[in-house]
Amino acid sequence: MSTDATPAAVTPERERDVVAAVPTGLLVAGAWRDASGGGTLAVDDPATGRTLTEVADATADDARAALDAAVAAQADWAATAPRERGELLRRAFELTTERAEDLALLMTLEMGKPLAESRGEVAYGAEFLRWFSEEAVRAYGRWSTAPNGASRLLTMKQPVGPCFAITPWNFPLAMATRKIGPALAAGCTMILKPAAQTPLTALAFAQVLLDAGLPDGVVQVLTTRSAGDLTAPLLADARLRKLTFTGSTPVGKRLVAQAADNLQRVSMELGGNAPFLVFRDADVEAAVEGAVLAKMRNIGEACTAANRFLVHADVAEDFSRGLAERLAAMPVGRGTEPDSKVGPLITREARADVHALVAEAVEGGARVLTGGEPLDGPGAFYPPTVLTEVPRQARIRTEEIFGPVAPVGTFTDDDDAVATANATEYGLVAYVYTRDVSRAVRVAEGLQFGMVGLNQGVVSNPAAPFGGVKASGFGREGGAEGIEEYLDTKYVGLAL
Ligand code: NAP
């Protein structure tokens, strides 16, 4: 993700204007409307604790209305020419790019990450629209002769049907476009439920879709404080054909169970616990560079965040010192400040959780190379932190940290390192630094993860299949695989 956009000063007036321009209702059947119960939900700035605005608080009745609209629009959307569907996505890509500054500022205000990173997410999120605008015309079927020659076998790809997408707060745009892009390309209609903490980016993006010419009912957006109440009637309705979820593993497990009654198709992008392996032959400077990205992207609040650093004992000191120096030099501040590199965590509760992991490790004997204490002030700021000599039983060695904390451990044997990396219920991404090609292949093959970053600290790419194994879920987003999640294969046998 590019984070090199030129920082610009943001005035309070500009903040107000950008927030005021966001539609705050529910998008159902092509129109904005209030929640059926008339309720609203406050959206806060995690850097100041102040409320930015209120948005509609959808109820179960709104969910049913949204599903009715998605079902009503499904047949026409599926019958819309693939090129036309692709062109809608292409216009959405262009409008998202045109509105990048406003979308980035909204994201920073509601989520906290520095503006340069929000700009990076807008560019990354928009790329899914461009990628799937190109994939819309490539849902190929097959024609073959049965082995006994008596019939012909025709396979065709058809849209799964109305889908429900639930997204988390940490990537408010990209997690939505990564689902809406392939769903629309495949000919599926959709209901999107963004996270309660970050609905503004999704609402502004819904307006992008409308301005790009979205037909009524093809995408609905429901914001709510009662995610469970909204989800239950949708999954209980067999007209809904697919659930696509990005979020935590415990919630994902519950949703898979709920979707079982109607056997809706399910894609799950869940939690991670990424190991970051640095072998003895690695370019240590490059490894530190990659570690800064893999750890600090999104303030550490990413499913792909490096969570456990495993470094060969011969280079561990150089690596830890280099990482601590780089992290200590990152300015912490509100994401709208031009030189901020580390914004606030999403809430003070989230910060307390991160600090509890650090404090427990330190009490058990871990050494703090930098950071380690929450920062004063109204926002949920936590400084970049590097820990070494973390005790074996410390929770920070096994739990997803979701903050700017890097625990560094050591190893001396390759097989032990891979075994330690695999000793987690999660399996989303692993990072590997080595200059030895054979070792790279051996280790990449041995890692039980859906993705491996080889000598690179970022794996996310719209043209690649993003996803995990084990408790990190199943299904892939992006790449040629992404659209398959929204397509069923039908086979027609033709007797001669
Ligand atoms: P979360 O609590 O699971 O929330 C994610 C989404 O699920 C939110 O929209 C939330 O709504 C909704 N939700 C919560 N309870 C629900 C229920 N009972 N029924 C239906 N929806 C429900 O996760 P989070 O804390 O926001 O996000 C962080 C997690 O996401 C981390 O574990 C991270 O690793 C994971 N993540 C994974 C990926 C990936 O691609 N693998 C990407 C990003 C994040 P509310 O906002 O209203 O609670």
Side-chain angles (χ1 to χ4, degrees):
M1 176 184 299
S2 157
T3 52
D4 58 2
T6 313
V10 178
T11 61
E13 294 71 36
R14 171 144 166 74
E15 288 182 21
R16 269 201 305 276
D17 291 349
V18 160
V19 171
V22 179
T24 54
L26 309 174
L27 179 64
V28 178
W32 293 106
R33 53 154 92 166
D34 291 338
S36 59
T40 58
L41 134 89
V43 185
D44 297 337
D45 177 345
T48 61
R50 283 199 299 268
T51 294
L52 296 164
T53 187
E54 307 246 341
V55 300
D57 180 16
T59 63
D61 284 343
D62 296 313
R64 288 185 199 99
L67 183 56
D68 289 345
V71 170
Q74 178 58 53
D76 278 355
W77 185 242
T80 300
R83 177 70 75 203
E84 224 178 292
R85 297 198 301 257
E87 279 169 359
L88 172 84
L89 289 170
R90 176 72 199 199
R91 284 193 297 279
F93 161 73
E94 281 159 8
L95 280 176
T96 302
T97 306
E98 266 171 38
R99 297 179 194 175
E101 276 302 300
D102 288 358
L103 287 164
L105 180 53
L106 273 178
M107 201 185 292
T108 288
L109 290 175
E110 65 179 348
M111 185 271 165
K113 72 177 95 175
L115 258 181
E117 285 209 55
S118 294
R119 292 183 183 113
E121 184 183 335
V122 175
Y124 171 59
E127 280 303 327
F128 284 98
L129 303 169
R130 176 151 68 174
W131 176 260
F132 286 109
S133 77
E134 293 157 351
E135 290 294 281
V137 293
R138 301 206 173 90
Y140 302 124
R142 217 168 56 227
W143 174 264
S144 63
T145 301
N148 65 3
S151 62
R152 300 294 178 265
L153 316 177
L154 166 65
T155 57
M156 61 179 93
K157 299 283 181 172
Q158 294 189 314
V160 167
C163 304
F164 180 34
I166 302 178
T167 51
W169 49 264
N170 58 348
F171 291 101
L173 182 71
M175 298 302 105
T177 57
R178 194 152 107 147
K179 300 179 187 308
I180 290 174
L184 266 50
C188 299
T189 59
M190 181 164 265
I191 301 165
L192 170 69
K193 192 213 82 65
Q197 279 144 330
T198 56
L200 300 181
T201 309
L203 292 167
F205 175 64
Q207 188 61 50
V208 165
L209 289 173
L210 290 177
D211 295 345
L214 183 81
D216 294 353
V218 171
V219 175
Q220 342 302 314
V221 180
L222 302 177
T223 51
T224 184
R225 70 172 84 234
S226 317
D229 295 350
L230 193 104
T231 300
L234 291 176
L235 293 178
D237 192 322
R239 294 177 304 162
L240 183 82
R241 291 317 314 144
K242 165 144 185 131
L243 167 68
T244 171
F245 174 76
T246 299
S248 61
T249 295
V251 173
K253 285 182 181 173
R254 217 173 313 144
L255 291 171
V256 171
Q258 271 180 275
D261 270 352
N262 282 310
L263 289 173
Q264 279 120 346
R265 274 184 63 179
V266 177
S267 301
M268 290 280 143
E269 297 285 354
L270 307 177
N273 182 2
F276 189 107
L277 295 144
V278 183
F279 288 89
R280 182 166 45 185
D281 64 279
D283 175 341
V284 175
E285 231 172 88
V288 168
E289 191 65 38
V292 173
L293 275 175
K295 179 72 256 179
M296 295 306 295
R297 179 167 170 240
N298 228 44
I299 325 161
E301 294 173 317
C303 52
T304 51
N307 212 56
R308 297 171 290 146
F309 290 86
L310 297 168
V311 185
H312 193 279
D314 289 357
V315 292
E317 208 183 312
D318 283 356
F319 176 85
S320 307
R321 199 179 44 241
L323 184 62
E325 277 168 14
R326 289 290 304 275
L327 264 50
M330 293 179 82
V332 180
R334 192 171 181 231
T336 49
E337 290 165 14
D339 60 350
S340 167
K341 290 268 188 281
V342 186
L345 296 181
I346 187 72
T347 57
R348 294 172 77 83
E349 294 73 28
R351 179 176 69 172
D353 289 347
V354 170
H355 186 57
L357 291 175
V358 171
E360 186 212 45
V362 172
E363 269 164 39
R367 240 179 91 209
V368 182
L369 299 194
T370 184
E373 286 295 334
L375 301 174
D376 291 338
F381 292 97
Y382 200 84
T385 297
V386 177
L387 304 177
T388 58
E389 296 165 42
V390 177
R392 190 160 287 279
Q393 71 286 1
R395 282 190 301 135
I396 202 164
R397 290 173 72 122
T398 52
E399 293 187 14
E400 193 180 20
I401 302 169
F402 241 57
V405 181
V408 184
T410 58
F411 70 87
T412 50
D413 175 84
D414 282 19
D415 291 343
D416 284 351
V418 172
T420 307
N422 287 338
T424 168
E425 62 171 322
Y426 295 103
L428 188 60
V429 58
Y431 303 92
V432 176
Y433 275 76
T434 173
R435 285 186 277 209
D436 177 333
V437 176
S438 309
R439 173 178 273 144
V441 172
R442 224 175 28 246
V443 171
E445 285 183 357
L447 286 167
Q448 294 160 1
F449 293 80
M451 301 176 285
V452 176
L454 194 51
N455 295 322
Q456 61 180 42
V458 176
V459 290
S460 307
N461 189 318
F466 186 106
V469 298
K470 295 163 67 182
S472 293
F474 39 76
R476 292 294 179 268
E477 293 189 322
E481 290 81 355
I483 197 166
E484 292 294 332
E485 302 282 321
Y486 297 89
L487 291 168
D488 283 331
T489 300
K490 180 183 282 178
Y491 145 62
V492 179
L494 266 111
L496 292 184

